[in-house]
Amino acid sequence: MYRSGRTAVWSAGLFVLLGAVVLTSAALGPVRIDVVTVAMAMLNAVVIPVGVTSSSASLPVFGVSVPTPGLEYATVFSFDVPVTHQIIVKDIRLPRITLAATVGLSLGAAGTVMQGFFRNPLADPSIIGVSSGAAAGAVAAIVFPGLIPFGSLHVPAFLGALATAFLVYAIATEGGRTPVATLLLAGVAIQTFLGAMISYMLVHSGDSLQQAVYWMMGHLNNSQWGDVGFALPITLAGVLALCAFRQELNVLLLGEEDAHHLGVEVERTKLLLLVLASIVTAAGVAVAGVIGFVGLVVPHIMRLIVGPDHRILLPTSALAGASFLVATDTLARTGPAVVPVGIITAALGAPFFLFLLSRREVRSV
Amino acid sequence: MTEPGQSPETADSDLESDEQSRPDPATISVEDCALSFGELSVLEDVSLTIEPGEFVGFVGPNGAGKTTLLRTISAALEPDSGTVAIDGTDVHDLSSRASSRLVSVVPQNTSISFSFPVRDVVEMGRHPHRSRFSSATPEDHAVVERALERTRTAELADRPIDEVSGGQRQRVVLARAIAQATPVMLLDEPTASLDVNHQVETLELVRELVDEGRTVIAAIHDLDLAARYCDRLVLLSDGTVARDGPPATVLTGDALADSFDANAVVTQNPVTGTETVTALADAHEPEPASRPDQVHVLGTGAAAAGVIARLAAAGIDMTLGPVSSGDAAAETARSLGVEAIETEPFARLAPEDRATAETLVREADVTVLADLVLGASTQPLLDTLETADGLVAIETRPLSERDFAGTDARARYNACCERAVDATLEGLLEAVADATVGGSSSRQSVDSIDAND
């Protein structure tokens, strides 16, 4: 009771923080818009479904437009906001901010799960090669556009990420058991191999080199609502599913044999955790590229603040990851030069992590 | 999902009452279990049946297979052949959840390297009783608090588990197992890193848990504690059951010599009345030629008790006395079944006891004088000692402290000691061997004196 109360308080607090960060971020940019106008513009953008249209709309599924019976939407609010401001907030800043929050959410949650799962403070969402797989998929699609028949880079990146995670899991599994140490080493080996493949492709990339390198740095430039539509549902579903395993994650920290004696179906739980964490990471990486350090540093900071209990650590890390990435992406797009957000997260995250290392026990998960 | 032993409904209703942690007892049967790690065979055809409500101790030397057998019973290891069943259900067919409601485990290595509060660690014991989406109920909290109290870890409840000592952590993990409220508990060295008062406290608690109806198996390397608290001991040796039964029948010098390859003496602990095992340094087996057939011990206190224990461990027949009843040497002799002439303290030596003692000294190949007290009961024996061969003297206390006779007796005793081989307890067996060789030539003359009598 006390604990669920504590979780609720922390989650609510971080939710409010996220709202404030989003609002502030939407107000900042080449055109300064005051926060009240931003709030009104955001509320104007809220729509609710009011009925089913008779005509077919189309929904992009895996990059292909699939005709589906569409829903008819109506706006709820109609505050008086200048049209330019409305467009800037709704169509330019909000998609990017929402996507940043989504990716931050996915990396914060997946990083927490991976660190708990591997009982290793150095684990991050990409530890079993998900990011490398995504990068290989995306770079292949950029360099050999003819070979990969997908319109957007999301799908090849997403599939590359999942295929890599599956491959690493399959390599590390023997006789129904997947030792965590083997998984880690297989992940490192596959990442190295994929690194070589990516370098090879880059050498032969010709004109598309810049695009490929830019993708790999991790950025949220030119984000569209379509990107959000791809990443947000997967991320939300995945993070909620991961939260259902919060107790198992705690018990797994005691070691696999103890966890078995405490009623955790160890191998099955490990597989599900890996699948969910990989899907969530893949969704984030597919739309934003490789954004480092969020999934490593945010769970550590939250662990220092709220403790190691996943019942509170997992939701708070996810929310904090969202705020963190929205904030850093705001820096990335409003600074003197527009830079990929991956550079900001790494440039801020690494010194901060070193600071933590020197002061507190980041050593323990 | 099969739920042998206990269904969740009964577990929940049990929690309502004060008898909350009194689960249905369960029978464990191990049949022909064999297990090897690669080439190394660790268990060989182990069969055991453990009755409900028994407290069974697994004892045996390091590497005998105690932990492996426990882990096989807990289903953490799968045997190469054979089965382990609890109440008729093979443990390997149980889901983790079903098995965790049936068996709780306190592992040997309890190191936990993250900072959960102690209370949270104990609360994890309730995990088997909880669904994925529910949080802890008031009943869960009550069970957790009670487990903390019973293991005397309540005052640690809010401390991070990685900041408590190894012994405290061991008790926290026991509390977790108690909170799990299972009919079967498996404990691997539950007292290994505890100090002496907590060892006793912990085993008293385990005893209580057994008396409440649990079936408990514990691997315990401390044989004295095992004998004191377990109903039954299973002595494992090289992966097989060497002995199985009540402590008194399992802990015998022979069994321990075979299994531990050690020189050990089993005596009765005068305080607890249970078996106490004293291991001695590996004695050099005396050469057969110099091995005495019979030794007589004359002395008192710890020195004489030590002599008796060492001779017994070396398998040498001996007699003792006269010695006051209640002396440490007399107690040791009694618990080892050594024949002794016991006298009332400070009494004069009865004529028949004197005659017996003289005969024993004369018939012995070697007589060991161990802190002999010169007094009313021993003075008459000086005549015999003066003519005896094969004397060994061990003196740990100065003569002045144990001399209650006159100058004359002291001089005669000192003369005896002059002829004796001086020894310490550690060098006793060598000294006895020397005295046997030295005395063997004069053995004849002793016999002839006998004949002349």
Side-chain angles (χ1 to χ4, degrees):
Chain A
M1 288 170 300
Y2 134 84
R3 193 157 303 279
S4 47
R6 193 163 162 250
T7 307
V9 167
W10 272 102
S11 301
L14 285 163
F15 214 83
V16 170
L17 174 70
L18 178 60
V21 171
V22 166
L23 212 56
T24 313
S25 175
L28 296 175
V31 178
R32 293 282 166 116
I33 306 171
D34 68 282
V35 174
V36 178
T37 313
V38 167
M40 290 192 296
M42 282 165 79
L43 289 173
N44 282 347
V46 172
V47 290
I48 52 165
V50 290
V52 183
T53 53
S54 48
S55 65
S56 300
S58 62
L59 188 76
V61 173
F62 290 101
V64 184
S65 289
V66 179
T68 46
L71 290 172
E72 203 173 296
Y73 295 99
T75 55
V76 184
F77 303 99
S78 50
F79 294 107
D80 184 23
V81 176
V83 150
T84 47
H85 288 181
Q86 180 70 42
I87 290 173
I88 288 173
V89 169
K90 185 187 162 202
D91 294 334
I92 298 177
R93 291 188 187 162
L94 265 192
R96 181 169 182 153
I97 290 167
T98 314
L99 198 64
T102 304
V103 174
L105 194 78
S106 79
L107 296 178
T112 307
V113 170
M114 288 299 189
Q115 284 170 6
F117 179 98
F118 282 97
R119 270 171 281 149
N120 187 330
L122 275 180
D124 75 354
S126 305
I127 191 149
I128 61 166
V130 176
S131 293
S132 300
V139 171
I142 292 168
V143 176
F144 311 111
L147 282 181
I148 316 279
F150 297 111
S152 87
L153 291 179
H154 302 166
V155 177
F158 188 71
L159 294 181
L162 291 189
T164 307
F166 177 79
L167 181 67
V168 169
Y169 179 81
I171 290 172
T173 303
E174 203 186 325
R177 284 176 184 268
T178 317
V180 164
T182 316
L183 201 57
L184 201 108
L185 292 173
V188 170
I190 293 291
Q191 282 187 59
T192 309
F193 177 76
L194 287 175
M197 300 311 293
I198 291 167
S199 298
Y200 179 82
M201 288 191 282
L202 289 180
V203 167
H204 295 273
S205 58
D207 292 344
S208 51
L209 176 66
Q210 196 190 356
Q211 194 197 350
V213 170
Y214 199 63
W215 188 92
M216 287 201 298
M217 283 178 182
H219 68 89
L220 293 158
N221 295 355
N222 307 320
S223 301
Q224 309 293 321
W225 279 115
D227 302 330
V228 175
F230 174 85
L232 188 62
I234 301 176
T235 300
L236 277 185
V239 170
L240 285 178
L242 283 173
C243 282
F245 284 92
R246 60 203 188 281
Q247 292 182 21
E248 276 89 342
L249 276 165
N250 282 347
V251 178
L252 271 175
L253 280 183
L254 299 177
E256 293 183 11
E257 197 166 321
D258 279 23
H260 170 79
H261 295 315
L262 290 169
V264 174
E265 212 69 65
V266 172
E267 293 303 330
R268 197 183 68 198
T269 306
K270 276 161 62 183
L271 175 60
L272 284 170
L273 284 173
L274 273 189
V275 167
L276 288 170
S278 298
I279 288 177
V280 165
T281 310
V285 175
V287 292
V290 185
I291 294 177
F293 263 86
V294 180
L296 178 67
V297 173
V298 170
H300 276 300
I301 296 169
M302 291 317 295
R303 199 174 282 112
L304 288 178
I305 297 172
V306 302
D309 187 341
H310 286 93
R311 286 173 292 184
I312 176 165
L313 178 64
L314 187 51
T316 52
S317 291
L319 287 170
S323 294
F324 180 78
L325 201 58
V326 172
T328 44
D329 186 52
T330 309
L331 280 180
R333 69 183 167 81
T334 58
V338 174
V339 292
V341 64
I343 294 179
I344 303 280
T345 58
L348 283 181
F352 187 65
F353 191 68
L354 290 175
F355 166 73
L356 286 180
L357 264 186
S358 67
R359 297 225 27 219
R360 298 285 296 266
E361 294 125 73
V362 189
R363 298 181 293 278
S364 63
V365 173
Chain B
M1 190 160 57
T2 47
E3 299 278 356
Q6 177 187 34
S7 69
E9 286 74 27
T10 50
D12 290 345
S13 60
D14 278 350
L15 297 178
E16 309 279 302
S17 66
D18 192 43
E19 319 268 289
Q20 48 181 252
S21 41
R22 191 168 297 201
D24 299 337
T27 310
I28 302 165
S29 46
V30 179
E31 273 177 41
D32 304 322
C33 269
L35 191 142
S36 53
F37 295 136
E39 295 287 291
L40 182 70
S41 167
V42 189
L43 294 180
E44 288 170 21
D45 296 323
V46 172
S47 292
L48 280 176
T49 303
I50 289 154
E51 299 298 332
E54 259 192 316
F55 184 3
V56 177
F58 285 174
V59 294
N62 297 335
K66 302 187 292 278
T67 298
T68 306
L69 183 53
L70 271 185
R71 292 179 69 203
T72 308
I73 294 172
S74 75
L77 293 174
E78 191 156 9
D80 301 333
S81 62
T83 55
V84 177
I86 295 180
D87 282 344
T89 312
D90 192 317
V91 292
H92 288 279
D93 294 341
L94 291 173
S95 69
S96 300
R97 199 172 175 79
S99 124
S100 63
R101 289 179 176 187
L102 205 53
V103 182
S104 52
V105 177
V106 175
Q108 189 170 7
N109 178 8
T110 56
S111 83
I112 300 172
S113 60
F114 47 86
S115 51
F116 274 107
V118 163
R119 181 179 279 110
D120 286 15
V121 174
V122 176
E123 202 194 300
M124 289 184 198
R126 300 304 299 163
H127 186 261
H129 303 281
R130 215 186 279 167
S131 88
R132 179 176 303 285
F133 298 101
S134 67
S135 52
T137 63
E139 285 92 78
D140 287 334
H141 288 302
V143 172
V144 168
E145 293 306 321
R146 177 133 174 75
L148 286 167
E149 276 161 28
R150 293 187 80 172
T151 52
R152 294 173 195 262
T153 47
E155 68 272 23
L156 306 174
D158 297 315
R159 302 242 318 259
I161 185 75
D162 57 345
E163 286 174 19
V164 303
S165 75
Q168 290 170 330
R169 199 167 56 226
Q170 206 161 24
R171 287 187 286 141
V172 170
V173 176
L174 180 64
R176 188 184 80 198
I178 293 173
Q180 217 172 324
T182 54
V184 177
M185 289 179 88
L186 305 179
L187 317 174
D188 196 355
E189 300 289 359
T191 56
S193 45
L194 299 182
D195 46 32
V196 66
N197 61 323
H198 285 123
Q199 284 184 342
V200 171
E201 238 174 54
T202 297
L203 287 173
E204 293 280 348
L205 172 59
V206 173
R207 187 68 245 179
E208 263 177 49
L209 297 169
V210 171
D211 295 339
E212 286 166 11
R214 284 184 176 83
T215 311
V216 174
I217 307 178
I220 302 181
H221 75 272
D222 186 321
L223 297 171
D224 296 2
L225 286 173
R228 194 164 146 195
Y229 289 101
C230 296
D231 299 317
R232 173 179 161 197
L233 295 184
V234 173
L235 175 60
L236 292 168
S237 175
D238 293 330
T240 59
V241 177
R243 296 255 180 140
D244 180 359
T249 66
V250 171
L251 296 185
T252 65
D254 291 348
L256 297 179
D258 290 348
S259 305
F260 284 85
D261 195 21
N263 217 348
V265 189
V266 183
T267 53
Q268 290 241 313
N269 184 319
V271 182
T272 60
T274 53
E275 285 67 31
T276 287
V277 176
T278 311
L280 302 167
D282 244 358
H284 302 287
E285 282 286 313
E287 291 298 311
S290 62
R291 191 184 169 87
D293 293 323
Q294 185 75 35
V295 172
H296 187 73
V297 181
L298 203 47
T300 55
V307 168
I308 293 164
R310 280 173 170 75
L311 292 176
I316 296 171
D317 287 334
M318 80 197 99
T319 48
L320 167 74
V323 63
S324 299
S325 310
D327 188 275
E331 292 296 330
T332 307
R334 193 180 306 150
S335 62
L336 288 170
V338 170
E339 191 190 326
I341 306 163
E342 292 193 26
T343 61
E344 291 300 314
F346 307 111
R348 292 202 151 271
L349 189 61
E352 63 270 25
D353 285 343
R354 175 180 175 179
T356 314
E358 285 174 350
T359 311
L360 290 175
V361 170
R362 268 190 243 114
E363 284 180 354
D365 298 325
V366 174
T367 299
V368 180
L369 305 174
D371 279 352
L372 181 71
V373 171
L374 278 178
S377 66
T378 49
Q379 208 172 348
L381 296 175
L382 283 169
D383 293 344
T384 317
L385 287 176
E386 278 170 338
T387 59
D389 291 301
L391 287 181
V392 171
I394 291 183
E395 310 216 287
T396 62
R397 291 162 55 203
L399 182 58
S400 56
E401 283 180 18
R402 48 193 168 88
D403 176 13
F404 303 100
T407 17
D408 176 45
R410 184 157 64 241
R412 292 173 68 194
Y413 171 75
N414 281 335
C416 288
C417 288
E418 291 283 303
R419 294 193 299 121
V421 179
D422 280 332
T424 58
L425 272 178
E426 287 68 34
L428 174 73
L429 293 178
E430 279 166 42
V432 167
D434 285 353
T436 312
V437 176
S440 60
S441 57
S442 51
R443 176 82 190 267
Q444 215 57 43
S445 59
V446 176
D447 285 348
S448 57
I449 294 169
D450 268 354
N452 289 346
D453 277 354

mmCIF file of all heavy atoms in Angstrom, chain A residues 259-287:
data_model
loop_
_atom_site.group_PDB
_atom_site.id
_atom_site.type_symbol
_atom_site.label_atom_id
_atom_site.label_comp_id
_atom_site.label_asym_id
_atom_site.label_seq_id
_atom_site.Cartn_x
_atom_site.Cartn_y
_atom_site.Cartn_z
ATOM 1 N N ALA A 259 15.347 -17.136 -7.936
ATOM 2 C CA ALA A 259 14.114 -16.689 -8.587
ATOM 3 C C ALA A 259 13.222 -17.887 -8.901
ATOM 4 O O ALA A 259 12.006 -17.843 -8.706
ATOM 5 C CB ALA A 259 14.443 -15.920 -9.870
ATOM 6 N N HIS A 260 13.845 -18.968 -9.356
ATOM 7 C CA HIS A 260 13.069 -20.185 -9.631
ATOM 8 C C HIS A 260 12.387 -20.666 -8.358
ATOM 9 O O HIS A 260 11.211 -21.027 -8.370
ATOM 10 C CB HIS A 260 13.984 -21.269 -10.191
ATOM 11 C CG HIS A 260 13.337 -22.614 -10.274
ATOM 12 N ND1 HIS A 260 12.466 -22.947 -11.287
ATOM 13 C CD2 HIS A 260 13.390 -23.687 -9.449
ATOM 14 C CE1 HIS A 260 12.027 -24.179 -11.085
ATOM 15 N NE2 HIS A 260 12.577 -24.657 -9.978
ATOM 16 N N HIS A 261 13.130 -20.655 -7.237
ATOM 17 C CA HIS A 261 12.546 -21.129 -5.979
ATOM 18 C C HIS A 261 11.488 -20.179 -5.448
ATOM 19 O O HIS A 261 10.755 -20.526 -4.539
ATOM 20 C CB HIS A 261 13.642 -21.326 -4.928
ATOM 21 C CG HIS A 261 14.604 -22.412 -5.277
ATOM 22 N ND1 HIS A 261 14.173 -23.631 -5.759
ATOM 23 C CD2 HIS A 261 15.939 -22.476 -5.242
ATOM 24 C CE1 HIS A 261 15.232 -24.383 -5.998
ATOM 25 N NE2 HIS A 261 16.309 -23.715 -5.708
ATOM 26 N N LEU A 262 11.456 -18.962 -5.974
ATOM 27 C CA LEU A 262 10.440 -18.008 -5.544
ATOM 28 C C LEU A 262 9.316 -17.905 -6.573
ATOM 29 O O LEU A 262 8.561 -16.936 -6.595
ATOM 30 C CB LEU A 262 11.075 -16.644 -5.290
ATOM 31 C CG LEU A 262 11.974 -16.613 -4.049
ATOM 32 C CD1 LEU A 262 12.791 -15.337 -3.992
ATOM 33 C CD2 LEU A 262 11.151 -16.753 -2.780
ATOM 34 N N GLY A 263 9.241 -18.891 -7.441
ATOM 35 C CA GLY A 263 8.073 -18.995 -8.312
ATOM 36 C C GLY A 263 8.178 -18.268 -9.632
ATOM 37 O O GLY A 263 7.168 -18.040 -10.286
ATOM 38 N N VAL A 264 9.387 -17.877 -10.047
ATOM 39 C CA VAL A 264 9.534 -17.234 -11.351
ATOM 40 C C VAL A 264 9.952 -18.295 -12.367
ATOM 41 O O VAL A 264 10.932 -19.004 -12.154
ATOM 42 C CB VAL A 264 10.591 -16.103 -11.297
ATOM 43 C CG1 VAL A 264 10.841 -15.545 -12.687
ATOM 44 C CG2 VAL A 264 10.146 -15.020 -10.352
ATOM 45 N N GLU A 265 9.189 -18.393 -13.432
ATOM 46 C CA GLU A 265 9.531 -19.322 -14.514
ATOM 47 C C GLU A 265 10.679 -18.672 -15.277
ATOM 48 O O GLU A 265 10.461 -17.893 -16.218
ATOM 49 C CB GLU A 265 8.296 -19.528 -15.390
ATOM 50 C CG GLU A 265 8.173 -20.878 -16.029
ATOM 51 C CD GLU A 265 7.895 -21.975 -15.005
ATOM 52 O OE1 GLU A 265 6.834 -21.983 -14.366
ATOM 53 O OE2 GLU A 265 8.777 -22.854 -14.861
ATOM 54 N N VAL A 266 11.925 -18.984 -14.875
ATOM 55 C CA VAL A 266 13.054 -18.130 -15.220
ATOM 56 C C VAL A 266 13.274 -17.991 -16.724
ATOM 57 O O VAL A 266 13.313 -16.883 -17.254
ATOM 58 C CB VAL A 266 14.341 -18.626 -14.528
ATOM 59 C CG1 VAL A 266 15.541 -17.858 -15.026
ATOM 60 C CG2 VAL A 266 14.205 -18.474 -13.021
ATOM 61 N N GLU A 267 13.389 -19.116 -17.418
ATOM 62 C CA GLU A 267 13.748 -19.010 -18.837
ATOM 63 C C GLU A 267 12.640 -18.333 -19.641
ATOM 64 O O GLU A 267 12.904 -17.532 -20.527
ATOM 65 C CB GLU A 267 14.073 -20.394 -19.417
ATOM 66 C CG GLU A 267 15.353 -21.012 -18.836
ATOM 67 C CD GLU A 267 16.590 -20.132 -19.025
ATOM 68 O OE1 GLU A 267 16.659 -19.372 -20.007
ATOM 69 O OE2 GLU A 267 17.493 -20.188 -18.157
ATOM 70 N N ARG A 268 11.397 -18.666 -19.310
ATOM 71 C CA ARG A 268 10.278 -18.059 -20.033
ATOM 72 C C ARG A 268 10.236 -16.553 -19.771
ATOM 73 O O ARG A 268 10.064 -15.756 -20.696
ATOM 74 C CB ARG A 268 8.964 -18.720 -19.601
ATOM 75 C CG ARG A 268 7.833 -18.471 -20.552
ATOM 76 C CD ARG A 268 6.544 -19.071 -20.039
ATOM 77 N NE ARG A 268 6.082 -18.368 -18.843
ATOM 78 C CZ ARG A 268 5.182 -18.874 -17.994
ATOM 79 N NH1 ARG A 268 4.687 -20.069 -18.183
ATOM 80 N NH2 ARG A 268 4.800 -18.172 -16.956
ATOM 81 N N THR A 269 10.439 -16.181 -18.511
ATOM 82 C CA THR A 269 10.412 -14.757 -18.160
ATOM 83 C C THR A 269 11.542 -14.011 -18.858
ATOM 84 O O THR A 269 11.353 -12.914 -19.379
ATOM 85 C CB THR A 269 10.538 -14.599 -16.634
ATOM 86 O OG1 THR A 269 9.527 -15.380 -16.016
ATOM 87 C CG2 THR A 269 10.395 -13.160 -16.217
ATOM 88 N N LYS A 270 12.727 -14.634 -18.892
ATOM 89 C CA LYS A 270 13.857 -13.985 -19.557
ATOM 90 C C LYS A 270 13.558 -13.750 -21.034
ATOM 91 O O LYS A 270 13.828 -12.680 -21.575
ATOM 92 C CB LYS A 270 15.115 -14.844 -19.403
ATOM 93 C CG LYS A 270 15.840 -14.609 -18.100
ATOM 94 C CD LYS A 270 16.782 -15.733 -17.735
ATOM 95 C CE LYS A 270 17.890 -15.952 -18.733
ATOM 96 N NZ LYS A 270 18.730 -17.106 -18.356
ATOM 97 N N LEU A 271 12.980 -14.781 -21.674
ATOM 98 C CA LEU A 271 12.667 -14.648 -23.094
ATOM 99 C C LEU A 271 11.676 -13.501 -23.310
ATOM 100 O O LEU A 271 11.876 -12.644 -24.182
ATOM 101 C CB LEU A 271 12.103 -15.970 -23.629
ATOM 102 C CG LEU A 271 11.616 -15.934 -25.074
ATOM 103 C CD1 LEU A 271 12.752 -15.562 -26.015
ATOM 104 C CD2 LEU A 271 11.016 -17.268 -25.499
ATOM 105 N N LEU A 272 10.612 -13.480 -22.503
ATOM 106 C CA LEU A 272 9.600 -12.435 -22.672
ATOM 107 C C LEU A 272 10.192 -11.045 -22.425
ATOM 108 O O LEU A 272 9.909 -10.101 -23.165
ATOM 109 C CB LEU A 272 8.430 -12.679 -21.710
ATOM 110 C CG LEU A 272 7.492 -13.811 -22.129
ATOM 111 C CD1 LEU A 272 6.513 -14.160 -21.023
ATOM 112 C CD2 LEU A 272 6.736 -13.413 -23.397
ATOM 113 N N LEU A 273 11.022 -10.944 -21.387
ATOM 114 C CA LEU A 273 11.636 -9.646 -21.091
ATOM 115 C C LEU A 273 12.515 -9.191 -22.253
ATOM 116 O O LEU A 273 12.486 -8.030 -22.659
ATOM 117 C CB LEU A 273 12.474 -9.734 -19.812
ATOM 118 C CG LEU A 273 11.698 -9.751 -18.503
ATOM 119 C CD1 LEU A 273 12.640 -10.020 -17.329
ATOM 120 C CD2 LEU A 273 10.987 -8.422 -18.288
ATOM 121 N N LEU A 274 13.294 -10.132 -22.812
ATOM 122 C CA LEU A 274 14.165 -9.779 -23.927
ATOM 123 C C LEU A 274 13.359 -9.355 -25.140
ATOM 124 O O LEU A 274 13.679 -8.367 -25.806
ATOM 125 C CB LEU A 274 15.040 -10.977 -24.308
ATOM 126 C CG LEU A 274 16.353 -11.153 -23.573
ATOM 127 C CD1 LEU A 274 17.157 -12.256 -24.234
ATOM 128 C CD2 LEU A 274 17.152 -9.858 -23.593
ATOM 129 N N VAL A 275 12.301 -10.117 -25.428
ATOM 130 C CA VAL A 275 11.478 -9.803 -26.599
ATOM 131 C C VAL A 275 10.870 -8.409 -26.439
ATOM 132 O O VAL A 275 10.976 -7.560 -27.329
ATOM 133 C CB VAL A 275 10.373 -10.867 -26.782
ATOM 134 C CG1 VAL A 275 9.321 -10.396 -27.772
ATOM 135 C CG2 VAL A 275 10.985 -12.184 -27.235
ATOM 136 N N LEU A 276 10.256 -8.170 -25.262
ATOM 137 C CA LEU A 276 9.583 -6.893 -25.054
ATOM 138 C C LEU A 276 10.578 -5.732 -25.070
ATOM 139 O O LEU A 276 10.351 -4.712 -25.720
ATOM 140 C CB LEU A 276 8.828 -6.917 -23.714
ATOM 141 C CG LEU A 276 7.572 -7.792 -23.682
ATOM 142 C CD1 LEU A 276 7.049 -7.924 -22.262
ATOM 143 C CD2 LEU A 276 6.502 -7.210 -24.593
ATOM 144 N N ALA A 277 11.709 -5.907 -24.347
ATOM 145 C CA ALA A 277 12.690 -4.820 -24.293
ATOM 146 C C ALA A 277 13.267 -4.556 -25.683
ATOM 147 O O ALA A 277 13.516 -3.411 -26.054
ATOM 148 C CB ALA A 277 13.797 -5.155 -23.303
ATOM 149 N N SER A 278 13.461 -5.624 -26.466
ATOM 150 C CA SER A 278 14.010 -5.436 -27.813
ATOM 151 C C SER A 278 13.011 -4.727 -28.716
ATOM 152 O O SER A 278 13.385 -3.849 -29.499
ATOM 153 C CB SER A 278 14.385 -6.795 -28.426
ATOM 154 O OG SER A 278 15.379 -7.400 -27.645
ATOM 155 N N ILE A 279 11.735 -5.104 -28.605
ATOM 156 C CA ILE A 279 10.720 -4.452 -29.445
ATOM 157 C C ILE A 279 10.637 -2.965 -29.103
ATOM 158 O O ILE A 279 10.616 -2.099 -29.985
ATOM 159 C CB ILE A 279 9.343 -5.139 -29.248
ATOM 160 C CG1 ILE A 279 9.358 -6.511 -29.918
ATOM 161 C CG2 ILE A 279 8.225 -4.271 -29.825
ATOM 162 C CD1 ILE A 279 8.085 -7.299 -29.719
ATOM 163 N N VAL A 280 10.624 -2.674 -27.791
ATOM 164 C CA VAL A 280 10.506 -1.283 -27.357
ATOM 165 C C VAL A 280 11.717 -0.482 -27.842
ATOM 166 O O VAL A 280 11.588 0.620 -28.384
ATOM 167 C CB VAL A 280 10.385 -1.244 -25.816
ATOM 168 C CG1 VAL A 280 10.616 0.156 -25.296
ATOM 169 C CG2 VAL A 280 9.017 -1.742 -25.379
ATOM 170 N N THR A 281 12.922 -1.050 -27.664
ATOM 171 C CA THR A 281 14.132 -0.366 -28.119
ATOM 172 C C THR A 281 14.107 -0.182 -29.628
ATOM 173 O O THR A 281 14.418 0.897 -30.147
ATOM 174 C CB THR A 281 15.386 -1.179 -27.736
ATOM 175 O OG1 THR A 281 15.296 -1.521 -26.356
ATOM 176 C CG2 THR A 281 16.646 -0.396 -27.986
ATOM 177 N N ALA A 282 13.713 -1.257 -30.323
ATOM 178 C CA ALA A 282 13.706 -1.213 -31.786
ATOM 179 C C ALA A 282 12.772 -0.123 -32.280
ATOM 180 O O ALA A 282 13.095 0.597 -33.228
ATOM 181 C CB ALA A 282 13.300 -2.578 -32.345
ATOM 182 N N ALA A 283 11.620 0.032 -31.621
ATOM 183 C CA ALA A 283 10.675 1.064 -32.043
ATOM 184 C C ALA A 283 11.309 2.439 -31.900
ATOM 185 O O ALA A 283 11.178 3.300 -32.788
ATOM 186 C CB ALA A 283 9.395 0.975 -31.203
ATOM 187 N N GLY A 284 12.015 2.654 -30.809
ATOM 188 C CA GLY A 284 12.656 3.949 -30.585
ATOM 189 C C GLY A 284 13.793 4.193 -31.552
ATOM 190 O O GLY A 284 13.897 5.261 -32.162
ATOM 191 N N VAL A 285 14.657 3.194 -31.712
ATOM 192 C CA VAL A 285 15.831 3.349 -32.555
ATOM 193 C C VAL A 285 15.430 3.487 -34.025
ATOM 194 O O VAL A 285 16.045 4.229 -34.782
ATOM 195 C CB VAL A 285 16.797 2.163 -32.348
ATOM 196 C CG1 VAL A 285 17.968 2.238 -33.295
ATOM 197 C CG2 VAL A 285 17.299 2.150 -30.909
ATOM 198 N N ALA A 286 14.368 2.788 -34.408
ATOM 199 C CA ALA A 286 13.955 2.813 -35.813
ATOM 200 C C ALA A 286 13.561 4.225 -36.241
ATOM 201 O O ALA A 286 13.822 4.624 -37.377
ATOM 202 C CB ALA A 286 12.789 1.845 -36.035
ATOM 203 N N VAL A 287 12.951 4.990 -35.350
ATOM 204 C CA VAL A 287 12.530 6.326 -35.757
ATOM 205 C C VAL A 287 13.584 7.387 -35.465
ATOM 206 O O VAL A 287 13.577 8.443 -36.084
ATOM 207 C CB VAL A 287 11.207 6.751 -35.066
ATOM 208 C CG1 VAL A 287 10.054 5.895 -35.580
ATOM 209 C CG2 VAL A 287 11.311 6.670 -33.548
#
